[in-house]
Amino acid sequence: MSASVFSRLSILCAIFYICSITLFPESVTAGITRHYKFDIRLKNVTRLCKTKTIVTVNGKFPGPRVVAREGDRLVVRVVNHVSNNVSLHWHGIRQVQSGWADGPAYITQCPIQTGQSYVYNFTITGQRGTLWWHAHISWMRATLYGPLIIYPQHNASYPFAKPHKEVPIMFGEWWNADTEAVINQSLVTGAGPNVSDSYTINGLPGPLYNCSAKDTFKLKVKPGKTYMLRIINAALNDDLFFRIANHTMTIVEADASYVKPFETDTLLIAPGQTTNVLLKTQPYPQQTTFVMAARPYFTGQGTFDNSTIAGFLVYDLHNLPSSNNIPSKNLSIPTLPPINATSFVANFSNKFRALASEKFPANVPRNVDKHFFFTVGLGSNPCPKNQRCQGPNNSSKFSASVNNVSMILPKTALLQSYFFKKSNGVYTTDFPSFPLVPFNYTGAPPNNTNVSNGTKVVVLPFNTSVEVVLQDTSILGAESHPLHLHGHNFYVVGQGIGNFDQKKDPAKYNLVDPVERNTIGVPSGGWVAIRFLADNPGAWLMHCHFDVHLSWGLRMAWIVFDGELPSQKLLPPPADLPKC
């Protein structure tokens, strides 16, 4: 072979490789480094006949899709061009030895200030599926979010037949108002914040909202094919029911962990959760268009966006006989469960089981080293002197807590303080393992609804097996709370309604094939038990994924110590780590 021919072949191979990374990421060999550039910029966007300036990544809303493969390294350079402080969280990524890249402001990093940049550098270890990225400071994630898709390793396959096509579906909320102004006003007055103006599917409100018929998500499909919908709930404050008229879905994954497949015509997805479903289209549909719809599940006492988002499932029928004569009829909204359908939610949640196969085992901790019992729910703070508050009884401010501790964010990131052994004045290690004052958690609320306020953490030796019972409370109203744990997945070994019974309920635990997740809805007026192995050194936030509750303090943090081996130690921080 001549040198010139060899050179031309080399160039063609290089071009093919680059194109394959860009166009067909699922065909690329595992273990490569993928670079992304995120410019945080303002962008004028029009929804509901109103134009507003929003914060975006690269001018896109929702933000760009991040694609990788299990074993790949992601290097994402974020440059902040706006006046707001920003930090990004890679929701569900375990961040093994790379806690500095986790993203929650004042927990693992100080925020990226105007004109500054930060490189999130991490390797995806032992994970594949649908996750997502979003801002993790104040309410910036209202517009700063996007899908994070992790394909299996090269030559590995799904534990189900490969679908014809894969489509991300991201639920969100649209606010005509500035969300930063909304939450800031709420924190000043102590009242509940105003609610969003619409829900969105991939950033589009759809035909049920004013002036939005042209801004409707349409999923175009072919008859007799199987599509995988990568469903993500990026809404700030709402659990959502979802259904496609005259179709069923097979759920195959939850929070990037495979599950035993099961069919449903309706699913519930909480903020922070992801669910992969297989949608098998009809081989001979009787019409071209079907409505897909979502609306909230809500059991609390406050206000919420009680509206419905719709999109269309549209068939391409050109290759079917007499397809030109098939009208689109009966375009009615599919029936969804009632707003407060807690029994449906409980039955649906109990259907999730880990795949628990030889290739994808359920490594549930059987022996527990440390037990914790955490109450989660709302409470109040006294109104400051000489100020009029609009919270509970119009005399206090809404607050939220775990074990009655409403977490105050420190001014220095917890992880920095821990790593450099400068925790004095930043945090204390006396977070209560159990409620200091037991009461009837789901019964009549106590007269005193005040919470305590502080920055307390739980410290865990490396490889500690942990069980946490998360108990909802009826203080200021029982409601479901989507709890998200950073840095670890956990197994949902039990759940129920009412107060957890230590003598009876553990006997009912599922230790064989419990679902593995990173976000779980604590049942309204009930409890859920989770187990995880603290095998990832660092400082890890656990919090409610309703942003209003997060802002009110429903969060706590775990500090996991280093292990003995080099692979069990947190690496030093990068040189460009933002400073407070």
Coordinates of all heavy atoms in Angstrom, one line a residue, residues 71-105:
G71 N -18.3 3.9 31.8 CA -16.9 3.8 31.8 C -16.2 5.0 31.1 O -15.0 5.2 31.3
D72 N -17.0 5.9 30.5 CA -16.5 7.1 29.9 C -16.1 8.2 31.0 O -16.7 8.2 32.1 CB -17.4 7.7 28.9 CG -17.5 7.0 27.6 OD1 -16.6 6.1 27.4 OD2 -18.3 7.3 26.7
R73 N -15.3 9.1 30.6 CA -15.0 10.2 31.4 C -15.6 11.5 30.8 O -15.5 11.7 29.6 CB -13.4 10.4 31.5 CG -13.0 11.6 32.3 CD -11.4 11.7 32.2 NE -10.9 12.9 32.7 CZ -9.8 13.5 32.3 NH1 -9.1 12.9 31.3 NH2 -9.3 14.6 32.8
L74 N -16.3 12.3 31.6 CA -16.9 13.5 31.1 C -16.1 14.7 31.6 O -15.8 14.8 32.8 CB -18.4 13.6 31.6 CG -19.4 12.8 30.7 CD1 -20.8 12.8 31.4 CD2 -19.4 13.3 29.3
V75 N -15.8 15.6 30.8 CA -15.1 16.8 31.1 C -16.0 18.0 30.6 O -16.1 18.2 29.4 CB -13.7 16.9 30.5 CG1 -13.1 18.2 30.9 CG2 -12.9 15.7 31.0
V76 N -16.7 18.7 31.5 CA -17.6 19.7 31.1 C -17.1 21.0 31.7 O -17.1 21.3 32.9 CB -19.0 19.4 31.7 CG1 -20.0 20.4 31.1 CG2 -19.5 18.0 31.3
R77 N -16.7 21.9 30.8 CA -16.3 23.3 31.2 C -17.4 24.2 31.2 O -18.1 24.4 30.2 CB -15.2 23.8 30.3 CG -14.6 25.1 30.7 CD -13.3 25.5 30.0 NE -12.8 26.7 30.5 CZ -12.9 27.9 29.9 NH1 -13.6 28.0 28.7 NH2 -12.3 29.0 30.4
V78 N -17.7 24.8 32.4 CA -18.9 25.7 32.6 C -18.3 27.1 32.8 O -17.5 27.3 33.7 CB -19.7 25.2 33.8 CG1 -20.9 26.2 34.0 CG2 -20.2 23.8 33.6
V79 N -18.8 28.0 31.9 CA -18.4 29.4 32.0 C -19.6 30.2 32.3 O -20.6 30.2 31.5 CB -17.7 29.9 30.7 CG1 -17.2 31.3 30.8 CG2 -16.6 28.9 30.3
N80 N -19.6 31.0 33.3 CA -20.7 31.8 33.8 C -20.7 33.2 33.2 O -19.8 34.0 33.6 CB -20.8 31.8 35.3 CG -22.1 32.5 35.8 OD1 -23.0 32.8 35.0 ND2 -22.2 32.7 37.1
H81 N -21.6 33.5 32.3 CA -21.7 34.8 31.7 C -22.8 35.7 32.2 O -23.1 36.7 31.7 CB -21.8 34.7 30.1 CG -20.8 33.9 29.5 ND1 -19.5 34.5 29.1 CD2 -20.7 32.6 29.1 CE1 -18.8 33.6 28.5 NE2 -19.5 32.4 28.5
V82 N -23.5 35.2 33.3 CA -24.7 35.9 33.8 C -24.4 36.4 35.2 O -23.3 36.1 35.8 CB -25.9 35.0 33.8 CG1 -26.2 34.5 32.4 CG2 -25.8 33.9 34.8
S83 N -25.3 37.3 35.7 CA -25.0 37.9 37.0 C -25.3 36.9 38.2 O -24.9 37.1 39.3 CB -25.9 39.2 37.2 OG -27.3 38.9 37.0
N84 N -26.1 35.9 37.9 CA -26.4 34.9 39.0 C -25.3 34.0 39.2 O -24.5 33.6 38.3 CB -27.6 34.1 38.5 CG -28.8 34.9 38.1 OD1 -28.9 35.4 37.0 ND2 -29.8 35.0 39.0
N85 N -25.1 33.6 40.5 CA -24.2 32.5 40.8 C -24.8 31.2 40.3 O -26.0 31.0 40.3 CB -23.9 32.4 42.3 CG -23.1 33.6 42.8 OD1 -22.4 34.2 42.0 ND2 -23.1 33.8 44.1
V86 N -23.9 30.3 39.8 CA -24.4 29.0 39.2 C -23.6 27.9 39.7 O -22.4 28.0 40.0 CB -24.3 29.1 37.7 CG1 -24.6 27.8 37.0 CG2 -25.3 30.2 37.1
S87 N -24.2 26.7 39.9 CA -23.5 25.4 40.0 C -24.4 24.4 39.4 O -25.6 24.5 39.3 CB -23.3 25.1 41.5 OG -24.5 24.8 42.2
L88 N -23.8 23.3 38.9 CA -24.5 22.3 38.2 C -24.3 20.9 38.9 O -23.2 20.6 39.3 CB -24.0 22.2 36.7 CG -24.3 23.4 35.8 CD1 -23.9 23.1 34.4 CD2 -25.8 23.8 35.8
H89 N -25.4 20.2 38.9 CA -25.4 18.8 39.5 C -25.7 17.8 38.5 O -26.6 18.0 37.7 CB -26.4 18.8 40.7 CG -26.7 17.4 41.2 ND1 -25.7 16.6 41.7 CD2 -27.8 16.7 41.4 CE1 -26.2 15.5 42.1 NE2 -27.5 15.5 42.0
W90 N -24.9 16.7 38.5 CA -25.1 15.6 37.6 C -25.9 14.5 38.3 O -25.4 13.6 38.9 CB -23.7 15.2 37.1 CG -22.9 16.4 36.7 CD1 -22.1 17.1 37.5 CD2 -23.0 17.1 35.5 NE1 -21.6 18.2 36.9 CE2 -22.1 18.2 35.7 CE3 -23.7 16.9 34.3 CZ2 -22.0 19.2 34.6 CZ3 -23.5 17.9 33.3 CH2 -22.7 19.0 33.5
H91 N -27.2 14.7 38.2 CA -28.2 14.0 39.1 C -28.1 12.5 38.8 O -28.4 12.0 37.8 CB -29.6 14.5 38.8 CG -30.6 14.0 39.7 ND1 -31.2 14.8 40.7 CD2 -31.1 12.8 39.9 CE1 -32.1 14.1 41.3 NE2 -32.1 12.8 40.9
G92 N -27.7 11.8 39.9 CA -27.7 10.3 39.9 C -26.3 9.8 39.6 O -26.1 8.6 39.9
I93 N -25.4 10.6 39.1 CA -24.0 10.1 39.0 C -23.4 9.9 40.3 O -23.4 10.8 41.2 CB -23.2 11.1 38.1 CG1 -23.7 11.2 36.7 CG2 -21.7 10.7 38.1 CD1 -23.5 10.0 35.9
R94 N -22.8 8.8 40.6 CA -22.3 8.5 41.9 C -21.0 9.3 42.3 O -20.7 9.5 43.5 CB -21.9 7.0 42.1 CG -23.2 6.1 42.0 CD -22.9 4.8 42.7 NE -22.4 5.0 44.0 CZ -21.5 4.2 44.6 NH1 -21.0 3.2 43.9 NH2 -21.1 4.4 45.8
Q95 N -20.3 9.8 41.3 CA -19.1 10.6 41.5 C -18.1 9.9 42.5 O -17.7 10.4 43.5 CB -19.5 12.0 42.2 CG -20.4 12.8 41.3 CD -19.8 13.4 40.1 OE1 -18.6 13.2 39.8 NE2 -20.5 14.1 39.3
V96 N -17.7 8.7 42.1 CA -16.8 7.9 42.9 C -15.4 8.6 42.8 O -14.8 8.8 41.8 CB -16.7 6.5 42.3 CG1 -15.6 5.7 43.1 CG2 -18.0 5.8 42.4
Q97 N -14.9 9.0 44.0 CA -13.7 9.7 44.2 C -13.7 11.1 43.6 O -12.6 11.7 43.5 CB -12.5 8.9 43.7 CG -12.2 7.6 44.5 CD -10.9 7.0 44.1 OE1 -10.8 6.4 43.0 NE2 -9.8 7.2 44.9
S98 N -14.8 11.6 43.0 CA -14.9 12.9 42.4 C -16.0 13.7 42.9 O -16.7 14.4 42.2 CB -15.1 12.7 40.9 OG -16.3 11.9 40.6
G99 N -16.1 13.7 44.3 CA -17.1 14.5 44.9 C -17.1 16.0 44.6 O -18.1 16.7 44.7
W100 N -15.9 16.5 44.2 CA -15.8 17.9 43.9 C -16.6 18.3 42.6 O -16.8 19.4 42.4 CB -14.3 18.2 43.6 CG -13.4 17.8 44.7 CD1 -12.6 16.7 44.8 CD2 -13.3 18.5 46.0 NE1 -11.9 16.7 46.0 CE2 -12.3 17.8 46.8 CE3 -13.8 19.6 46.6 CZ2 -11.9 18.1 48.0 CZ3 -13.4 20.0 47.9 CH2 -12.5 19.2 48.6
A101 N -17.1 17.3 41.9 CA -17.8 17.5 40.7 C -19.3 17.3 40.9 O -20.1 17.4 39.9 CB -17.3 16.6 39.5
D102 N -19.8 17.1 42.1 CA -21.2 16.7 42.4 C -22.1 18.0 42.1 O -23.2 17.8 41.6 CB -21.4 16.2 43.8 CG -22.7 15.6 44.0 OD1 -23.2 14.9 43.0 OD2 -23.3 15.8 45.0
G103 N -21.7 19.1 42.6 CA -22.3 20.3 42.2 C -23.2 21.1 43.1 O -23.4 22.3 42.9
P104 N -23.8 20.6 44.2 CA -24.7 21.4 45.0 C -24.0 22.5 45.7 O -23.0 22.3 46.4 CB -25.3 20.4 46.0 CG -24.3 19.3 46.1 CD -23.8 19.2 44.7
A105 N -24.4 23.7 45.5 CA -23.8 24.9 46.0 C -23.7 24.9 47.6 O -24.6 24.5 48.3 CB -24.5 26.2 45.6

